[in-house]
């Protein structure tokens, strides 16, 4: 596993930050971001896929009240692909019977989707090798988050109660002055390293670190290992053309 | 200094200034003085909440004013949460690990 990985450094691979507005469709935006990134790094095709199609054509209906990332993948599989954002634009609302997947031109499709083990080392390895992964976390700390690495305890951020889906796009370590837990045995002050995940949110670019945020890596902070799931756009074991830049 | 719910009392000047700045920054306006006062109260509460998160956090995160600082927890959860997953995943369970990519 490399020390750092940041898929945002591959031009075009990570689409711009979306804003779900009044529609609880983080699950569809995370899935769309996952598919876009995988098409970019596997086929060097940089597309923006339609979140609205995932909302309108999902089996569960009314995705503006919430949904599951894997439902979005099932919708893409059922429709043998997904239209572009341009052809099927986002409207931040849901109307029954509005799905027009059959008439829209597909710009991306997936082979299947997989869940990953709830192990942060394995997740990091997969992320660096195959590309971004969607995760579902407890969003308690996000509403008033501005910047930096969030490190919460299971009592303040219950890892079993997850309610927000986002896209994992990289990881690294934050060097900052101060006494770290690892250095307690040598009280002298020297740089403390805080390993973190980089996550893409769907609350607009004015929130957080230009739409992104960072969670501590290695402590299952806010339940990040509970539902790591990603689409696959290639046959198993076929590696993408690009690898994750440090 | 830090603003906490206890020492807010009648709205201090700096709180009102901070709220004005928030409104400019995130383009917020309110239809009635009552709504404005209510949002100011919520803003103060969220500042105190941010202070608490700051104290709870073990990392390097900073909490404070964000685009959602004039929303209550309920409003925020309704607008931006992901409600259904809170109930867990019916019957989905774990399927594969990276070393068995052939299974799906």
């Amino acid at each position: 596993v490399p020390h750092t990985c940041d898929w945002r450094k591959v031009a075009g691979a990570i689409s711009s930050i979306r804003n779900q507005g009044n529609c609880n469709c983080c699950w569809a935006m995370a899935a769309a971001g996952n598919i876009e990134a995988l098409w970019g790094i596997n086929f060097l095709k940089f597309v923006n896929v339609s979140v609205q199609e995932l909302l309108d054509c999902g089996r569960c209906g009314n995705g503006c009240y919430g949904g599951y990332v894997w439902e979005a993948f099932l919708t893409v599989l059922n429709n043998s692909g997904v239209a572009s954002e341009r052809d099927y634009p986002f409207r931040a609302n849901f109307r029954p019977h509005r799905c027009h997947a059959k008439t829209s031109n597909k710009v991306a499709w997936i082979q299947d989707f997989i869940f990953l083990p709830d192990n942060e080392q394995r997740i990091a390895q997969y992320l660096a090798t195959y590309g971004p992964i969607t995760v579902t976390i407890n969003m308690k700390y996000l509403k008033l988050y501005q910047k930096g690495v969030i490190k919460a305890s299971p009592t303040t951020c219950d890892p079993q109660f997850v309610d927000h889906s986002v896209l994992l796009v990289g990881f690294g370590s934050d060097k900052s002055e101060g006494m770290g837990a690892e250095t307690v045995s040598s009280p002298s002050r020297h740089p403390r390293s805080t390993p973190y995940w980089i996550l893409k949110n769907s609350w607009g670019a004015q929130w957080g670190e230009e739409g992104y945020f960072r969670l501590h890596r290695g402590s299952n902070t806010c339940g990040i290992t509970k539902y790591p799931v990603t689409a696959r756009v290639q046959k198993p074991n076929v590696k993408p053309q690009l690898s994750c830049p440090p | 200094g830090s603003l906490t719910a206890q020492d807010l009392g009648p709205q201090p000047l700096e709180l009102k200034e901070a709220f004005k700045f928030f409104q400019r920054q995130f383009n917020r306006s309110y239809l009635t003085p009552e709504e404005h006062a209510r949002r100011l109260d919520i803003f103060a509460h969220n500042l105190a909440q941010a202070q608490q998160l700051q104290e709870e956090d073990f990392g390097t995160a900073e909490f404070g004013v964000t685009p959602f600082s004039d929303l209550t927890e309920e409003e925020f959860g309704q607008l931006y949460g992901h409600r259904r997953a809170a109930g867990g995943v019916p019957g989905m369970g774990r399927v594969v690990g990276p070393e068995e990519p052939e299974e799906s």
Side-chain angles (χ1 to χ4, degrees):
Chain A
V1 177
H3 279 295
T4 60
C5 155
D6 190 340
W7 283 106
R8 297 176 297 179
K9 293 176 180 170
V10 173
I14 306 295
S15 57
S16 54
I17 295 290
R18 286 189 162 93
N19 194 332
Q20 56 192 77
N22 289 341
C23 173
N24 261 330
C25 60
C26 60
W27 58 279
M29 291 195 165
N34 180 237
I35 294 169
E36 289 161 348
L38 293 176
W39 267 71
I41 62 179
N42 279 275
F43 309 124
L44 305 183
K45 287 232 175 86
F46 302 103
V47 297
N48 271 97
V49 301
S50 169
V51 170
Q52 195 62 47
E53 181 174 321
L54 303 178
L55 292 178
D56 288 348
C57 308
R59 291 179 310 165
C60 294
N62 205 350
C64 276
Y65 275 102
Y68 298 97
V69 171
W70 43 88
E71 278 297 324
F73 294 147
L74 283 170
T75 302
V76 174
L77 285 168
N78 289 341
N79 293 333
S80 306
V82 57
S84 71
E85 175 69 21
R86 195 190 53 197
D87 291 350
Y88 202 144
F90 181 58
R91 306 165 74 155
N93 59 37
F94 169 80
R95 293 282 179 280
H97 316 302
R98 185 169 67 186
C99 171
H100 49 82
K102 289 197 177 22
T103 57
S104 58
N105 181 37
K106 310 287 181 251
V107 294
W109 43 90
I110 66 174
Q111 301 285 337
D112 63 7
F113 60 92
I114 60 172
F115 280 83
L116 297 178
D118 56 354
N119 173 292
E120 288 182 85
Q121 193 68 355
R122 303 273 286 277
I123 291 171
Q125 183 185 32
Y126 191 94
L127 173 67
T129 309
Y130 291 100
I133 302 160
T134 73
V135 291
T136 300
I137 63 169
N138 182 333
M139 69 177 197
K140 177 193 168 187
Y141 273 74
L142 300 188
K143 175 188 175 188
L144 300 171
Y145 167 84
Q146 287 180 333
K147 61 181 180 181
V149 179
I150 298 169
K151 184 179 182 185
S153 70
T155 48
T156 58
C157 193
D158 183 357
Q160 294 306 316
F161 179 79
V162 294
D163 55 3
H164 186 50
S165 299
V166 290
L167 187 67
L168 195 51
V169 296
F171 55 84
S173 285
D174 200 4
K175 298 269 181 304
S176 55
E177 271 304 309
M179 189 179 306
E182 303 86 342
T183 63
V184 71
S185 56
S186 56
S188 60
R189 297 184 73 79
H190 54 85
R192 179 175 71 175
S193 163
T194 306
Y196 59 76
W197 295 107
I198 305 168
L199 296 117
K200 178 186 180 187
N201 204 353
S202 50
W203 293 349
Q206 278 191 301
W207 173 88
E209 296 181 334
E210 294 175 11
Y212 292 83
F213 65 104
R214 290 182 285 163
L215 278 183
H216 183 258
R217 178 164 50 100
S219 57
N220 188 26
T221 296
C222 300
I224 191 168
T225 67
K226 195 167 176 62
Y227 298 124
V229 58
T230 178
R232 283 198 297 203
V233 296
Q234 299 249 41
K235 291 274 179 284
N237 283 342
V238 173
K239 293 226 169 101
Q241 295 194 47
L242 301 174
S243 59
C244 188
Chain B
S2 62
L3 290 174
T4 63
Q6 292 87 312
D7 60 18
L8 286 179
Q11 306 308 342
L13 189 56
E14 58 266 25
L15 175 63
K16 287 180 180 173
E17 284 307 311
F19 191 48
K20 264 188 211 151
F21 183 73
F22 162 80
Q23 284 184 268
R24 274 200 303 277
Q25 186 179 8
F26 297 110
N27 195 24
R28 287 283 196 282
S29 57
Y30 309 102
L31 291 177
T32 64
E34 295 73 21
E35 179 64 11
H36 182 278
R38 180 168 171 270
R39 294 296 165 185
L40 177 58
D41 272 349
I42 294 169
F43 181 81
H45 171 77
N46 282 327
L47 276 181
Q49 185 75 9
Q51 185 69 38
Q52 186 181 333
L53 290 172
Q54 195 71 66
E55 286 157 14
E56 281 176 12
D57 182 66
F58 296 113
T60 62
E62 292 180 22
F63 301 89
V65 176
T66 72
F68 314 121
S69 288
D70 65 343
L71 298 179
T72 63
E73 283 309 309
E74 290 70 37
E75 288 168 332
F76 180 72
Q78 294 284 331
L79 284 173
Y80 284 92
H82 171 298
R83 276 170 271 157
R84 272 205 264 182
V89 177
M92 223 18 182
R94 296 257 168 236
V95 178
V96 291
E99 70 273 27
E100 308 99 307
E102 290 71 8
E103 296 172 35
S104 66

